[in-house]
Amino acid sequence: MKNNAASASLLDYPANHSNAAIFFRSGYGGACDFFYGHGEGSFTEAWRLGPTYNENASFYFTKGGPPSGSNCATWR
């Protein structure tokens, strides 16, 4: 069973400066919603997720951009 998250937010602290991805499938696969962090206590949010709306199964933080070849909605 997948999570039923409809929204998400990323609070990025200056020391972390991380981005985050939420994936449709387990093991970081399928469509995703990608959040850019901008450091300095920035807050990026999506009140309604795109491709992973109510169907999200994995999540990770990254310093890079969206995974290559992935179908990601991008939130800045």
Side-chain angles (χ1 to χ4, degrees), residues 8-20 35-45 59 61:
S9 59
L10 172 65
L11 176 59
D12 189 23
Y13 292 99
N16 295 342
H17 194 64
S18 295
N19 304 320
F35 291 80
Y36 281 99
H38 302 286
E40 300 178 14
S42 71
F43 190 74
T44 306
E45 63 186 337
F59 174 88
F61 288 103

Side-chain angles (χ1 to χ4, degrees), residues 10-69:
L10 172 65
L11 176 59
D12 189 23
Y13 292 99
N16 295 342
H17 194 64
S18 295
N19 304 320
I22 302 169
F23 289 90
F24 186 83
R25 294 196 177 102
S26 298
Y28 315 120
C32 72
D33 283 287
F34 189 84
F35 291 80
Y36 281 99
H38 302 286
E40 300 178 14
S42 71
F43 190 74
T44 306
E45 63 186 337
W47 287 103
R48 180 179 167 92
L49 291 171
T52 64
Y53 179 79
N54 283 343
E55 295 288 334
N56 42 68
S58 56
F59 174 88
Y60 79 84
F61 288 103
T62 179
K63 298 284 186 189
S68 61

